[in-house]
Each structure stands twice: as structure tokens, then as C-alpha cells.
Amino acid sequence: MRITINAHKLPSSGALVVGALKGSKLLDTAKQLDKASKGAIGRAIKASRFDGGKGQWLDILAPAGVGADRVLLGGLGEAKAIKQIDLENFGGTALQRLANCGLKNITMACDAIAGAKAEPAASAACLAYGARLASYRFDKYRTKLKPKDKPSVSAVSVLSQAPAVARRQFKALDAIADGVFMTRDLVSEPANVLYPDSMAQHCKSLSKLGVKVEVLNEARMEKLGMGALLGVGQGSPRESRMVVMRWQGASAKAKPVAFVGKGVTFDTGGISLKPGPGMEMMKWDMGGAGTVIGLMKALAGRKAKVNAIGVVGLVENMPDGKAQRPGDIVTSMSGQTIEILNTDAEGRLVLADALWYTQQRFKPQFMVNLATLTGAMIIALGHENAGLFSNDDKLSRQLFEAGAEVDEGVWRLPLSDAYDKKINCAIADMKNIGGRDAGSITAAQFLQRFVNKVPWAHLDIAGVAWGDQGKPTVPKGGTGWGVRLLDRLVASHYEGGK
Ligand code: BES
Ligand code: MN
Ligand code: ZN
């Protein structure tokens, strides 16, 4: 879908999206249409329950005296309460409502809103960004789609009072959307197509954007002593991989920020086999890695002034004659030994070596890891927030605030010695499960044993990486959760030498 920003000029056909504030106060373009149609907009409002409230919509077909074939009036609520995220959602919902309406073109008028905080240019960029994020589809395996199942809309034009500035701002947002789309694609791909090596090849595609990409194979990881990660992959005929992505957008001296992802391309549970129903969901057990890759694409795409490292541990967890057994003891790269009591608690084993490797090699300012780590996270927070676990209050606050701004919420849960004790083990340094109680926290305690002094945060994204219900800018399926959050974290606090 082609999304452009243009100077104000009313279209002579297609759908036209206009706005109103609480109390049905029409914004300029809507007012203009009302006049041209001799009051048709006002009459349509009177014939409905629309009153300009946030989230209200009114579809007006073929109003006389107006060029557009269809006018969609959207409510924005109170002017002073409008935030950027509301404008993104407005653009996204408008697109979703019209995508299959039969028309080819959508025009969205971005008018000045007296009393609103956002500048006109930023507002137009947000509308366009929202529409772009909402336009995502994963259709590549549907060979029999009929035209009526496909969107009719092929172009969106956002009308702005400051099109040049808006276009420049949209360019950066568009790069973030490219990252989000890459994550959604990776998460949606099935595990027969996306496996450790093929996923590593996707990472390599980022080199076009100036990202340096290194792929570690099993022999290399063995030399490095990554027994925890390698144990998980040993039951699969697909070789494990670790990929290091480096984006240098600041001076070579500047300490990097680091992002680490769990990339289990399929999680059967291994010998501790999962039950059959729902197992297909475990194709998205690489969601943490998917987000790290999409984030690196976003940062490089918008040329962020930061040095950023992305590390992903890629393995397939399969049951097999060669697979790891319950009771096996493995030695991690850190030297710490782990008794494997459940081969389905594999994500933490992958991250143990990935985190250790990242902090030893890169000495980052901070490390944030993402993982679809525990089913217990979904029990605790549902699909509304990701779990946040951290050894650092400042990083936690920054993540919380960035999450609220982009509507990718995080909620902090505790870490402490009392929980840590639950993974002590009689015959090795630790065991890989801590029992049913506080399952997400004991998993996080396990990760913390592989983190030294560096500020670190673990995001358990089991509940948010996939959505069975769509949202205004997030169609159902792979959400791309975390790309926007972490991009915002970097933009707000770690760019330009701060
Ligand atoms: N990948 C799963 C966690 C998961 C479950 C993510 C459902 C998304 C949806 C993880 O590897 C796992 O199997 N965790 C176990 C841990 C247990 C064995 C301690 C779990 O949550 O049951
Ligand atoms: Mn598992
Ligand atoms: Zn898993």
C-alpha cells in the first residue's frame, strides 16, 4: 500500500476521512464538506449517535456536492487529551474500516486542532504511520485469495498543512514500521520455512542497511563453551546458530546498548514433550529474536545515532534419539553448570549463553533481553502487558514510560534472593526449573545468574508476541511487539551522546 503525505487539496473521488471533536465540533475539512453538501454532514450526525467522542465513527456515503464518494467522520474526543498514539490509532482504524470498502483511494485530512499538543506536521506523520502499521498482511501462502478478499485500497494520501516537514518525520516512522513488519513476518513464518539457519539468513539481509552481521555456527559456539544453548538444539537436525548484529550510528568510542533475543524456531518441549493441542503456536517461540532483528532494522533504517548490538540465539527444540534428557547436566559459557530437569524450560538455557556472550564481548551500557519465556506470564498479565524484570530502577522506569507512550505496556515483577533460592540444585550449580509457583519470576532469576553488574532488563513477551484479536494498528497474528517500545527507549534516552 502506497502511503504519501501531500498538501491540502480535496479529492474528486475515493474515500475521505475527516475528524470531529467531542460535542461534534467539526474540524476544518469536515466543516468545508458540510457547507459544500448543504449540511449533509450535520444531518448525518443528527441521524446517528455520533458526538465526536474518541473511537466513534460515522460513514456517510455519496454526499451530494462533495467530490469524494464516501466520507468517514471520526471522533477524536477532547482536543487537549489527544496524544500521538491516539492519532496513530485514528489513522489505523480509519484504514481498517475502509481497506475493503471497494474504493481504491483513501484521503485523510489532517486539520489543525486548536488546543491539541501535537504540531500539525507531527500529527500528519502519526496518521500516516498508523495507517501504515494497520495495513500489514501476511498473505504469502494464500494462493486462492479472491479479489474481494483482498483490500480494495491501494493508496492513502494524508493531507497536511506542512507536508514537507510531515514527510521528513514520516520517513523515520516508516523505517520503524519496516522493522515492525519484518518482526511480524518472521513471527508468522512456519517452522518448516523458518529455522535457525534460514533465520540467520534473514539477519544477513540487514547488511544492506549498514548493519554488520556475524553468524556463529555450532563448531564456533562449541569452542566458546556454549553448552547450555547447544544442548537445546542437539535433538534437531537443523544446526543451531547465534547471530550478532551491529549498528554503529554513534562514534566508535561510545559504549553500545545491547538487545538479546530468544529464538526457538520451534518448541516441541523436547523429551519433556508438550501436549498436542495448541503446539502450532510454538512456531512463534522465536518472537524475542524476531523483535531484536526488527529493532535493528528500524534503528539502521532511520539511521539512529546510537551504537546498538543485537544478539539472537537460534535453536529448534525437538525430541529425538540425540535430544537432551531430563537429568542431563550441561556447562554454560559462564562456567556455571545446570541440571536440566525439564527440557521444555529451554529458552532460559539459550539466553544464558547469549546474555553471557553479549556482556563479555561488548561491555554494553545496558542489556535488554526479550523472550516468549513462560506460559505463567500469560496467566499473570494476560495479553495486555509484558512482564518486566530488572536489576536497575532507572532502566525499568525508562522502559515503563516508553511502553506507555507507544502502547506496548510493561509491568514490573519482583526479583529477590528468596526466589533465586528455588533454582538451587544439589548436584549442579542450578536447575533449570523452580517449580510451579512464581514460574515467570524463577525463570527471570535463572537469567539473572548470567548477568554481572551491567544494567539489565528481561521482557517476558509470551502474552504479547501474538494477538488473536487485532488492535487499531496491530492486525491479528504476529504483533511485532517491542520494536516500537525499544526504538522509543533508544530515541528518548540513548541517542546523540546523552
Ligand atoms: N515457549 C514456552 C513458553 C510459552 C508458552 C510461550 C505459551 C508462549 C505461549 C517455554 O519454553 C516453556 O515451555 N515454558 C514452560 C516452562 C516450564 C517447563 C517451567 C512453561 O511455561 O510451561
Ligand atoms: Mn519450552
Ligand atoms: Zn520455549
Side-chain angles (χ1 to χ4, degrees):
M1 199 168 288
R2 226 167 58 83
I3 297 176
T4 55
I5 295 178
N6 301 291
H8 261 280
K9 177 170 182 285
L10 289 188
S12 54
S13 66
L16 175 56
V17 181
V18 293
L21 300 171
K22 184 82 187 166
S24 292
K25 267 178 29 208
L26 299 183
L27 298 183
D28 286 349
T29 305
K31 242 187 241 164
Q32 211 179 319
L33 295 180
D34 192 46
K35 218 178 201 175
S37 66
K38 300 209 172 70
I41 310 293
R43 276 212 310 284
I45 291 174
K46 280 214 185 89
S48 76
R49 286 188 155 164
F50 183 91
D51 76 348
K54 185 168 146 183
Q56 290 191 8
W57 296 90
L58 185 61
D59 224 345
I60 306 161
L61 297 183
V66 166
D69 299 307
R70 174 173 194 144
V71 172
L72 178 61
L73 179 64
L76 285 154
E78 304 281 357
K80 62 177 183 308
I82 299 172
K83 298 199 274 308
Q84 292 201 347
I85 189 78
D86 299 315
L87 295 168
E88 290 171 23
N89 286 337
F90 186 93
T93 305
L95 181 93
Q96 288 192 7
R97 292 182 76 100
L98 293 168
N100 295 306
C101 77
L103 296 167
K104 283 208 177 93
N105 296 295
I106 302 180
T107 306
M108 295 189 191
C110 184
D111 296 313
I113 306 176
K117 281 182 211 110
E119 289 166 35
S123 301
C126 286
L127 283 184
Y129 182 43
R132 171 96 205 278
L133 288 169
S135 73
Y136 178 81
R137 295 172 63 90
F138 188 75
D139 278 344
K140 63 188 280 201
Y141 297 111
R142 303 194 57 180
T143 65
K144 294 194 158 87
L145 267 186
K146 300 190 186 73
K148 72 171 177 33
D149 299 324
K150 293 188 198 159
S152 60
V153 169
S154 56
V156 178
S157 163
V158 176
L159 306 183
S160 168
Q161 267 133 11
V165 185
R167 245 176 243 139
R168 197 163 62 238
Q169 295 188 1
F170 178 56
K171 207 173 155 209
L173 296 173
D174 212 24
I176 302 170
D178 288 340
V180 172
F181 280 24
M182 181 167 192
T183 303
R184 289 177 182 172
D185 280 343
L186 292 170
V187 166
S188 304
E189 284 288 357
N192 59 329
V193 174
L194 195 78
Y195 46 90
D197 190 57
S198 66
M199 201 162 163
Q201 300 311 315
H202 283 284
C203 297
K204 281 211 169 139
S205 77
L206 299 191
S207 50
K208 286 198 293 281
L209 295 172
V211 177
K212 295 209 179 82
V213 185
E214 255 172 272
V215 179
L216 280 58
N217 62 14
E218 286 192 350
R220 181 89 191 93
M221 288 190 278
E222 219 145 308
K223 280 222 180 77
L224 289 162
M226 296 185 176
L229 182 150
L230 288 168
V232 176
Q234 81 189 28
S236 170
R238 317 272 202 196
E239 263 213 36
S240 303
R241 295 282 184 267
M242 182 172 292
V243 182
V244 179
M245 292 160 278
R246 282 186 288 172
W247 165 250
Q248 197 184 96
S251 89
K253 297 192 301 277
K255 263 192 167 193
V257 297
F259 302 96
V260 179
K262 165 179 171 180
V264 177
T265 58
F266 197 79
D267 181 13
T268 64
I271 296 299
S272 313
L273 194 64
K274 284 183 182 294
M279 204 201 275
E280 71 284 350
M281 290 195 295
M282 287 300 106
K283 75 170 183 183
W284 48 263
D285 208 19
M286 35 51 69
T291 295
V292 169
I293 297 166
L295 173 67
M296 295 304 290
K297 178 161 183 161
L299 292 174
R302 68 172 183 79
K303 299 192 164 44
K305 294 187 181 59
V306 68
N307 293 340
I309 308 286
V311 174
V312 293
L314 308 176
V315 303
E316 187 180 48
N317 188 21
M318 296 291 271
D320 177 75
K322 295 203 193 79
Q324 159 160 280
R325 291 149 293 253
D328 283 5
I329 296 178
V330 297
T331 303
S332 66
M333 184 186 177
S334 72
Q336 301 177 94
T337 57
I338 306 158
E339 186 185 17
I340 311 297
L341 289 183
N342 189 322
T343 64
D344 197 13
E346 85 298 340
R348 62 198 77 182
L349 298 167
V350 173
L351 286 173
D353 283 335
L355 286 166
W356 188 263
Y357 177 77
T358 303
Q359 76 184 348
Q360 296 305 104
R361 177 165 170 199
F362 297 108
K363 314 270 186 281
Q365 293 184 59
F366 70 72
M367 277 197 299
V368 173
N369 77 257
L370 298 104
T372 48
L373 202 66
T374 62
M377 203 67 253
I378 309 175
I379 306 298
L381 296 178
H383 305 283
E384 325 305 327
N385 283 285
L388 161 66
F389 304 81
S390 179
N391 62 4
D392 192 87
D393 292 342
K394 184 173 134 211
L395 181 59
S396 296
R397 201 165 46 243
Q398 291 171 346
L399 283 163
F400 178 81
E401 282 166 9
E405 282 168 21
V406 305
D407 203 10
E408 290 182 338
V410 300
W411 193 257
R412 191 171 181 187
L413 285 92
L415 293 167
S416 77
D417 290 347
Y419 294 111
D420 184 72
K421 269 207 291 240
K422 292 179 189 286
I423 52 170
N424 284 342
C425 175
I427 69 163
D429 296 333
M430 69 195 87
K431 52 189 181 185
N432 77 329
I433 51 172
R436 242 173 74 84
D437 297 355
S440 302
I441 303 178
T442 50
Q445 294 290 166
F446 184 96
L447 300 183
Q448 197 177 13
R449 290 194 181 201
F450 299 87
V451 174
N452 291 331
K453 288 259 172 311
V454 53
W456 156 79
H458 154 53
L459 299 174
D460 191 334
I461 62 170
V464 294
W466 187 269
D468 287 328
Q469 270 167 350
K471 297 213 260 174
T473 59
V474 189
K476 61 179 183 232
T479 59
W481 193 98
V483 174
R484 286 187 285 161
L485 163 69
L486 296 173
D487 176 80
R488 179 62 63 96
L489 172 79
V490 169
S492 298
H493 303 289
Y494 298 93
E495 268 187 79
K498 253 184 268 170

